[in-house]
């Protein structure tokens, strides 16, 4: 089945088929396309990786991270005014008061809420969409944790920091790897359906860059299983945890001593704003894939618009590692309906090769993710050897039929069931014809700077998960994001409890920092009339946009 | 189809739909209102194409979160069909409505420490499963092709593990419950059953428990502190020299030469 491709594309696929017998015999003989030297890696990264090139990046002109160079779309959001700057709401009587306000309802926020509730605190969890809507549900492969006999947090630490090019915040790596076995045990106790051996032992596998088998999984939907279990458990704690859905936080409240005092929520369905005064606040709002840096497609959830970064930055929190983004080498480039969706690394692990428009290999298939992505961009944009789709996107072939040739008929369907169905739905049998792929925005390595107790640089403000930066350095290994969110989510809840037990004084809540930020923006000549946070992505056509006569801000 | 050249940069518009110049347009009806959309789009992208900005009814956009359950009919066909808006391609004459939320029953307390047999626990929490009339509408409705009626039958028979496994792919979109004549909220029953099956009917991982105990005793804190204090060069040396567990090693059989940091 290949009717999903255009006749022109089917013609080009013939070239892939022509070169396949030769490539197959080479693969069988163990001959692979040569991997790059360290120098060659540097060359391609410097010339073509979006993190290394100047295009599409500029220096941030304001705030604690002034002069650091970030993707422009992020700088645009940070150099925007608040939705609430010109408003002077009465903040003297908050609508809600609580011990802990958790902003964000993914895995990190849910873990924070559960751990705070476990310490006896009252929690409000406010989230933009439904409880559980997050990148957590989209994590397929697994969660790392050094629980097997030949392993320990010591070796997990080494793998994490080597994978991150030795740039990681070391205290965070220590915290994450130390707690990992506790997280696996906790999830098991909550009734997560881990892949197990009959005697109860966890199935543990290798992942990219691991020295020991410590990847734990629940089928190929590990994140979705973690999320539905945590959400269900949160619903068991109604006594302590109040959930507010479709109620994104839009700004933090601050007191006169520079302490975070809670947040302003917006009920998206009624448009009404509500204030939450909280002794402690946890930001767990996730990543920024939906900002589509430089127009890249992304693998992220609809809600990944970086709202937490914006409000924390306006309140004076320091960010870290924000220049670093993980592009996954193989996002879908065709059909248009699947654009950006992840094509797992497993395809290349099984022997799938990347090919240009002439059906030729141009890169070793299992370079580190950043190198592999840069090589694909070079082949398409630099060398002009990409395949163009009917909508003007570019891609290279990922020769999946080779997998069946290598390992026997039926392998593709058995090993990649979700991908097989996803393409078959659009008339493409990936066991018979190759996929077209291009790098896609996958993960935000940077974020709000925290310490190993999940404390940000603002008193009373904690953060956990993809919205933070440092633990993965400049490159994250598979299976460490599901771990990261739970470790630092739980630590945030525990830190909040410790702080409250020690006595917390929250002064009068204020939004004065918004006007200060707006003034600094004007003084720096950076006011473009834009407002943020973004809250929801906007995928309307130009035609529709031009008809929205009353919408002025370029970022909303 | 030509080779792209250096001045021919790819079109990079994130997730916005760019219909090809020769795209064919079809008419679909979104909650009764007709719109012209390119024929290859998913329901989700077609709705965005005509100007919807979703608050409800949109989530992961990849078929795993359950936010975008949708009912539709094709004009002239009496059958009611279901799909996820992010995974279902529009068809001419499609009349659709999203069901982003459906009222459901979730039994309030789940006690994983109880001594009550698992099948009784489910029967007590969700007695309505015994009202199942076996019509099979839930199974036909499920966008994940789960045999929903089959797993409910497992629970009725007391086979909690079997039903838990059969329901594993559930994304909790709620479409089954929307169509059930017996008023069962199948997806919540299954959620509870999976947790009971995993926590109460599956052996605990003793290896994990032993390691967790070692972590709690503080065993690894000095080792990790030692790593944190190393120079970059020392750390790189340890990284490069670390032993790799062989791919085919059986669980618990292979042990590294260096056992001082276990």
């Amino acid at each position: 089945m290949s009717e999903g491709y255009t006749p022109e594309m089917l013609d080009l696929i013939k070239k892939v088929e022509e070169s396949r017998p030769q490539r197959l015999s080479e693969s069988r003989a163990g001959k692979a396309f040569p991997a790059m030297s360290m120098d060659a890696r540097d060359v391609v990264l410097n010339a073509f990786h979006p993190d290394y090139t100047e295009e599409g990046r500029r220096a941030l002109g304001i705030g604690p991270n002034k002069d650091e160079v970030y993707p422009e779309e992020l700088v645009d959001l940070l150099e925007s005014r608040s939705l609430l700057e010109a408003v002077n709401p009465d903040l003297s009587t908050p609508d809600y008061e609580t011990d802990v306000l958790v902003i964000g309802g993914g895995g990190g926020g849910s873990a924070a809420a559960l751990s705070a509730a476990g310490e006896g605190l009252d929690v409000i969890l406010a989230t933009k969409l439904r409880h559980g809507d997050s990148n957590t549900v989209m994590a397929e492969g697994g969660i790392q944790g050094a629980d097997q006999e030949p392993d320990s947090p010591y070796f997990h630490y080494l793998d994490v920091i080597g994978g991150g090019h030795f740039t990681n915040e070391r205290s965070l790596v220590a915290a994450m790897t130390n707690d990992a076995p506790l997280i696996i045990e906790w999830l098991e106790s909550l009734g997560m359906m881990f892949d197990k051996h009959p005697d109860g032992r966890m199935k543990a596998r290798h992942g990219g860059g691991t020295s020991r088998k410590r990847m734990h999984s629940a089928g190929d939907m590990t994140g979705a299983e973690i999320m539905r279990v945590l959400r269900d458990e949160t619903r068991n704690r109604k006594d302590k945890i109040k959930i507010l859905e479709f109620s994104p936080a839009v700004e933090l409240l601050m007191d006169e001593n520079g302490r975070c005092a809670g947040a302003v929520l917006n009920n998206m369905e009624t448009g009404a704003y509500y204030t939450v005064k909280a002794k402690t606040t946890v930001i767990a709002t996730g990543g920024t894939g939906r900002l589509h840096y430089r127009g890249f497609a992304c693998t992220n959830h609809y809600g990944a618009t970086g709202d937490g970064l914006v409000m924390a930055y306006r309140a004076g929190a320091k960010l870290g590692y924000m220049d670093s983004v993980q592009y996954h080498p193989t996002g879908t480039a065709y059909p248009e309906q699947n654009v950006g969706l992840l094509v797992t690394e497993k395809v290349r692990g099984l022997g799938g090769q990347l090919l240009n428009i002439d059906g030729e290999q141009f890169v070793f298939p299992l370079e580190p993710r950043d190198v592999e992505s840069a090589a694909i961009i070079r082949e398409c944009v630099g060398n002009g050897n990409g395949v163009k789709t009917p909508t003007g996107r570019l891609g290279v072939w990922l020769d999946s039929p080779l997998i069946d040739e290598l390992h026997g008929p039926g392998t593709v369907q058995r090993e990649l069931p979700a991908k097989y169905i996803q393409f078959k739905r659009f008339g493409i049998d990936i066991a018979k014809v190759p996929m077209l792929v291009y790098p896609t925005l996958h993960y935000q390595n940077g974020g709000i700077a925290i310490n190993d107790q999940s404390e940000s640089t603002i008193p009373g403000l904690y953060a956990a998960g993809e919205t933070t930066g440092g633990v993965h350095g400049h490159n994250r290994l598979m299976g460490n994001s599901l771990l990261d969110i739970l470790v630092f989510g739980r630590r945030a809840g525990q830190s909040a409890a410790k702080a409250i037990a020690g006595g917390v004084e929250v002064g009068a809540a204020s939004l004065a920092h918004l006007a200060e930020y707006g003034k600094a923006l004007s003084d720096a000549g950076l006011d473009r009339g834009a407002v943020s946070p973004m809250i929801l992505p906007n995928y309307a056509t130009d035609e529709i946009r031009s008809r929205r006569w009353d919408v002025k801000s370029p970022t909303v | 189809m030509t080779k792209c050249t250096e001045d021919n940069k790819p079109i990079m518009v994130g997730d916005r739909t760019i219909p090809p110049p020769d795209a064919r347009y079809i008419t679909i009806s979104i909650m009764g209102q007709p719109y012209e959309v390119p024929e290859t789009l998913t329901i989700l992208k077609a709705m965005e194409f005509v100007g919807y900005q979703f608050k409800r009814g949109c989530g992961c956009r990849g078929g795993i979160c359950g936010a975008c359950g949708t009912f539709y009919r094709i004009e002239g066909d009496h059958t009611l069909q279901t799909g996820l808006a992010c995974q279902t391609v529009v068809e001419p004459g499609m009349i659709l409505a999203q069901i982003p939320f459906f009222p459901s029953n979730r039994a309030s307390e789940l006690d994983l420490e109880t001594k009550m047999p698992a099948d009784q626990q489910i029967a007590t929490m969700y007695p309505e499963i015994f009202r199942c009339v076996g019509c099979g509408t839930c199974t036909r409705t499920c966008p994940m092709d789960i045999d929903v009626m089959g797993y409910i039958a497992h629970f009725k028979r007391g086979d909690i593990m079997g039903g838990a496994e059969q329901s594993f792919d559930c994304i909790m979109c709620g479409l089954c419950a929307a169509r059930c004549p017996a008023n069962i909220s199948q997806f919540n029953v299954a959620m509870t059953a999976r947790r009971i099956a995993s926590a109460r009917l599956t052996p605990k991982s003793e290896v994990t428990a032993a390691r967790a105990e070692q972590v709690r005793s503080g065993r690894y804190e000095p080792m990790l502190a030692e790593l944190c204090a190393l120079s970059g060069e020392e750390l790189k040396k340890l990284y490069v020299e670390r032993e790799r567990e062989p791919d085919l090693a059986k669980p618990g059989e292979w042990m590294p030469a260096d056992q001082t940091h276990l």
Side-chain angles (χ1 to χ4, degrees), chain A residues 138-157:
Chain A
M138 305 177 73
E140 296 171 2
I143 177 167
Q144 290 202 35
D147 63 344
Q148 303 293 299
E149 293 94 331
D151 198 6
S152 82
Y154 179 89
F155 296 102
H156 191 178
Y157 181 110

Side-chain angles (χ1 to χ4, degrees), chain A residues 408-429:
Chain A
T411 310
V412 168
Q413 211 174 331
R414 188 178 64 247
E415 295 291 328
L416 305 161
K419 283 303 117 182
Y420 183 81
I421 293 167
Q422 214 163 45
F423 279 83
K424 193 167 171 244
R425 192 174 279 134
F426 302 116
I428 294 171
D429 179 348

Side-chain angles (χ1 to χ4, degrees), chain B residues 141-161:
Chain B
T141 300
C142 179
M144 299 299 284
D145 295 332
I146 297 168
D147 181 1
V148 182
M149 187 178 81
Y151 76 63
I152 291 293
H154 276 296
F155 298 148
K156 284 161 70 180
R157 285 198 299 272
D159 180 4
I160 305 307
M161 182 58 83

Side-chain angles (χ1 to χ4, degrees), chain A residues 147-333:
Chain A
D147 63 344
Q148 303 293 299
E149 293 94 331
D151 198 6
S152 82
Y154 179 89
F155 296 102
H156 191 178
Y157 181 110
L158 283 177
D159 291 346
V160 171
I161 206 153
H165 308 311
F166 302 94
T167 58
N168 319 45
E169 287 295 335
R170 295 185 180 191
S171 61
L172 300 185
V173 181
M176 181 173 80
T177 56
N178 183 72
D179 287 8
L182 304 179
I183 295 293
I184 303 294
E185 184 193 47
W186 180 55
L187 291 172
E188 184 191 42
S189 75
L190 290 176
M192 171 168 165
M193 215 163 177
F194 277 109
D195 295 334
K196 283 186 165 187
H197 295 282
D199 66 351
R201 178 195 279 270
M202 300 277 172
K203 287 190 178 165
R205 289 172 293 116
H206 268 305
T210 58
S211 61
R212 305 291 149 85
K213 295 183 189 175
R214 70 171 81 89
M215 196 71 67
H216 301 69
S217 55
D220 65 351
M221 46 189 285
T222 310
E225 166 66 354
I226 288 176
M227 191 66 246
R228 65 191 178 189
V229 168
L230 292 184
R231 180 178 50 208
D232 197 65
E233 182 59 15
T234 308
R235 288 174 181 168
N236 268 358
R237 296 308 312 268
K238 276 189 183 140
D239 56 325
K240 291 307 231 180
I241 305 172
K242 181 180 183 64
I243 307 282
L244 299 173
E245 294 186 320
F246 297 93
S247 296
V250 292
E251 294 297 350
L252 296 176
L253 293 167
M254 301 293 287
D255 77 4
E256 61 278 15
N257 299 316
R259 182 184 175 86
C260 182
V264 179
L265 311 181
N266 178 231
N267 179 328
M268 286 204 296
E269 295 186 307
T270 64
Y273 288 94
Y274 296 90
T275 52
V276 182
K277 190 166 182 189
K279 291 176 185 157
T280 56
T281 302
V282 181
I283 295 188
T285 51
T288 45
R290 294 278 154 195
L291 301 187
H292 295 293
Y293 295 153
R294 299 181 69 180
F296 272 86
C298 80
T299 61
N300 283 193
H301 191 278
Y302 183 57
T305 53
D307 306 340
L309 295 177
V310 174
M311 56 189 127
Y313 196 68
R314 249 179 219 141
K318 194 165 170 43
L319 309 179
Y321 298 76
M322 264 339 292
D323 56 326
S324 177
V325 175
Q326 187 167 69
Y327 292 81
H328 195 285
T330 56
T332 308

Side-chain angles (χ1 to χ4, degrees), chain A residues 8-9 12 129-130 133 137-138 146-155 157-159 161-163 166 170 174 177-178 181-182 184-185 188-193 196-202 206 209-213 218-219 221 224 228-229 231-233 235-236 246 268-269 290 292 294-297 300-302 336-337 339 341 357-358 380-382 384-388 390-394 422 425-426 438 536-542 544-545 548, chain B residues 1-6 8-21 40-42 45 48-56 58-62 64-67 87-89 100 106 108-110 112 161 164-165 167-172 188 191 194-195 198-199 202-205 207-209 211-212 215-216 220-221 223-224 226-232 235-236 238-239 242-249 251-252 254-256 258 261-262:
Chain A
E8 292 85 354
M9 293 172 107
L12 290 173
L129 300 165
R130 302 169 309 159
D133 273 324
V137 294
M138 305 177 73
D147 63 344
Q148 303 293 299
E149 293 94 331
D151 198 6
S152 82
Y154 179 89
F155 296 102
Y157 181 110
L158 283 177
D159 291 346
I161 206 153
F166 302 94
R170 295 185 180 191
T177 56
N178 183 72
L182 304 179
I184 303 294
E185 184 193 47
E188 184 191 42
S189 75
L190 290 176
M192 171 168 165
M193 215 163 177
K196 283 186 165 187
H197 295 282
D199 66 351
R201 178 195 279 270
M202 300 277 172
H206 268 305
T210 58
S211 61
R212 305 291 149 85
K213 295 183 189 175
M221 46 189 285
R228 65 191 178 189
V229 168
R231 180 178 50 208
D232 197 65
E233 182 59 15
R235 288 174 181 168
N236 268 358
F246 297 93
M268 286 204 296
E269 295 186 307
R290 294 278 154 195
H292 295 293
R294 299 181 69 180
F296 272 86
N300 283 193
H301 191 278
Y302 183 57
E336 187 70 21
Q337 300 91 325
V339 163
L341 293 185
I357 192 170
D358 297 316
C380 290
V381 178
N385 288 331
V387 174
K388 205 172 183 182
T391 55
R393 296 184 196 270
L394 285 176
Q422 214 163 45
R425 192 174 279 134
F426 302 116
Y438 196 76
L536 293 174
N538 185 348
Y539 294 125
T541 59
D542 290 338
I544 293 291
R545 281 164 200 249
R548 288 179 177 151
Chain B
M1 185 110 359
T2 51
K3 278 194 181 188
C4 52
T5 55
E6 276 187 55
N8 191 2
K9 294 277 173 67
I11 289 187
M12 303 284 281
V13 290
D15 237 6
R16 286 176 67 195
T17 295
I18 337 154
T40 57
L41 299 184
T42 57
K45 287 199 172 181
E48 288 179 336
F49 181 82
V50 302
Y52 276 79
Q53 186 181 31
F54 288 103
K55 287 176 185 163
R56 291 185 181 264
C58 175
C60 71
R61 305 167 73 94
I64 193 71
C65 82
Q87 300 289 301
T88 308
V89 177
R106 179 189 177 279
S108 57
E109 292 290 319
L110 171 58
L112 294 173
M161 182 58 83
E165 285 171 353
S167 74
F168 181 77
D169 290 341
C170 175
I171 56 174
M172 305 183 77
N188 281 335
M191 180 73 243
R194 282 192 304 274
R195 290 188 65 187
S198 306
T202 308
K204 287 261 179 291
S205 170
V207 176
T208 307
R211 177 56 47 80
V215 170
R216 272 189 286 271
Y220 300 103
E221 284 161 28
M223 294 185 208
L224 295 167
E226 180 192 319
L227 289 173
C228 287
L230 292 180
S231 74
L235 208 50
K236 272 182 199 167
L238 285 179
Y239 176 72
R242 76 208 199 287
E243 296 163 80
R244 187 174 188 276
E245 181 176 359
D247 286 308
L248 298 178
W254 178 85
M255 289 301 275
D258 170 18
H261 293 99
L262 296 181

